[in-house]
Amino acid sequence: MAKKVFITSKLPGKIDRYLRSRGFTVSVYTGKEPVSKNELIKKASKAEGIITLLSNKVDREVLDELSNCKVIANFAVGYNNIDIQYAKKKGIVVTNTPGVLSDATAELTISLILACTRRLIEAEKFMREGKFKGWMPDLFLGTELKGKTVGIVGAGEIGTEVARRIKAFKTKIIYFNRSKNSIIENELKGKKVSLDFLMKNADIISVHLPLTEDTYHIINRSNLKLMKKSAIIVNAARGEVIEEKYLIELLKKKKIKGAGFDVYENEPDINPELLKLQNVVLLPHIGSATTETREEMAMLAARNVEAVLKGKKPITPVN
């Protein structure tokens, strides 16, 4: 019998057709709302392979019901939605989609930085409301990137690509990472520093850490208060790496200049205090949202499922 694959959402590209052409039986959840936990268990209980979204919580309760499952391919670089250790204990391979979304996320990060520094959202709203009466010397004065120090928190693939792009604005680069990054140091003349040093000295802080036990609230009250009053922080990684409530407090009191969010601590719920602030830019987790990238992510997830179910090594395993 053909092995079953369940996909928790319709994905860009034609991976369901691809998997069927490889001999698998494929079912796709097509509900308008994200699949619920009970529905996930019901639909996936007999599947050998499952392709999940970051928003799908695959905890012990779910894993215990996946009696036939051999592989869970997460449609994301992150995998904090899956209990990977328990999955490993049950003999289930977990994979992710690294590499293919680095460029798209880096481009979005630069957009977020520019939106914050040049006040693009405020200015665009101003135009739509018919308030523009002509050029004025002090209209929407922003912050120039040239000569500024940019701090990269997390110098993996995405952090490196952000550093490459932001360097083109004639900035100085410092970074915080567990190990040295030869590209940032040799190619971009950047310097590895402590997190406290970075938070204190950077004009722009760009966060690119994965969410782990060690990185949860790694940016917190103690180091957020070190930031310059003129500094801007953007997060295109995971909301939980920043102590969001304290960051909001700083923004409300104008202790820092601004912030850009593509992710949130309690996503998809957003702290209502953020919606009241004028010195923030808020995006709906679209870091990798290009047609090209999402199709590549989907195909990588499909190829991981195919590899494992055909007895081969997974392409991008995380456990």
Side-chain angles (χ1 to χ4, degrees), residues 43-75:
K43 297 285 188 183
S45 61
K46 302 301 181 184
E48 284 89 353
I50 305 169
I51 297 177
T52 54
L53 307 184
L54 192 64
S55 55
N56 303 141
K57 190 75 171 176
V58 187
D59 56 17
R60 287 183 173 230
E61 183 183 354
V62 174
L63 290 167
D64 280 337
E65 298 297 327
L66 305 181
S67 56
N68 293 337
C69 188
K70 300 293 185 294
V71 56
I72 298 172
N74 216 35
F75 181 72

Side-chain angles (χ1 to χ4, degrees), residues 147-156 159-160 162-164 166-167 170-177 179 181 184-185 188-208 227-228 231:
K148 299 298 190 297
T149 296
V150 177
I152 307 291
V153 183
T160 301
V162 170
R164 277 177 161 152
I166 204 72
K167 186 66 177 179
K170 300 179 181 178
T171 60
K172 301 172 185 176
I173 307 290
I174 57 177
Y175 72 98
F176 168 76
N177 203 50
S179 55
N181 184 309
I184 292 179
E185 298 212 358
L188 307 177
K189 309 304 178 187
K191 182 180 179 183
K192 184 175 181 289
V193 298
S194 70
L195 183 56
D196 281 359
F197 182 94
L198 184 149
M199 298 296 291
K200 185 177 181 179
N201 291 277
D203 300 295
I204 312 292
I205 298 168
S206 190
V207 183
H208 304 285
M227 291 175 63
K228 298 177 180 180

Side-chain angles (χ1 to χ4, degrees), residues 59-122:
D59 56 17
R60 287 183 173 230
E61 183 183 354
V62 174
L63 290 167
D64 280 337
E65 298 297 327
L66 305 181
S67 56
N68 293 337
C69 188
K70 300 293 185 294
V71 56
I72 298 172
N74 216 35
F75 181 72
V77 172
Y79 43 86
N80 51 285
N81 58 310
I82 302 171
D83 189 332
I84 61 169
Q85 296 304 325
Y86 194 61
K88 182 177 180 180
K89 185 177 179 180
K90 295 184 73 67
I92 299 172
V93 175
V94 177
T95 69
N96 65 343
T97 59
V100 296
L101 50 70
S102 298
D103 288 317
T105 306
E107 289 175 7
L108 188 281
T109 301
I110 299 300
S111 301
L112 198 51
I113 290 171
L114 289 170
C116 290
T117 56
R118 297 304 299 270
R119 303 173 64 186
L120 300 183
I121 307 303
E122 291 177 78

Side-chain angles (χ1 to χ4, degrees), residues 278-290:
Q278 295 299 312
N279 54 346
V280 299
V281 175
L282 308 174
L283 300 179
H285 201 151
I286 56 172
S288 62
T290 67

Side-chain angles (χ1 to χ4, degrees), residues 174 193-205 218-233 246-247 250 255-257:
I174 57 177
V193 298
S194 70
L195 183 56
D196 281 359
F197 182 94
L198 184 149
M199 298 296 291
K200 185 177 181 179
N201 291 277
D203 300 295
I204 312 292
I205 298 168
I218 191 171
I219 298 176
N220 52 46
R221 180 179 299 262
S222 65
N223 50 46
L224 281 167
K225 66 184 180 183
L226 300 176
M227 291 175 63
K228 298 177 180 180
K229 190 174 181 179
S230 59
I232 287 169
I233 184 169
Y246 188 70
L247 176 56
L250 292 179
K255 294 289 183 69
I256 62 172
K257 188 162 189 176

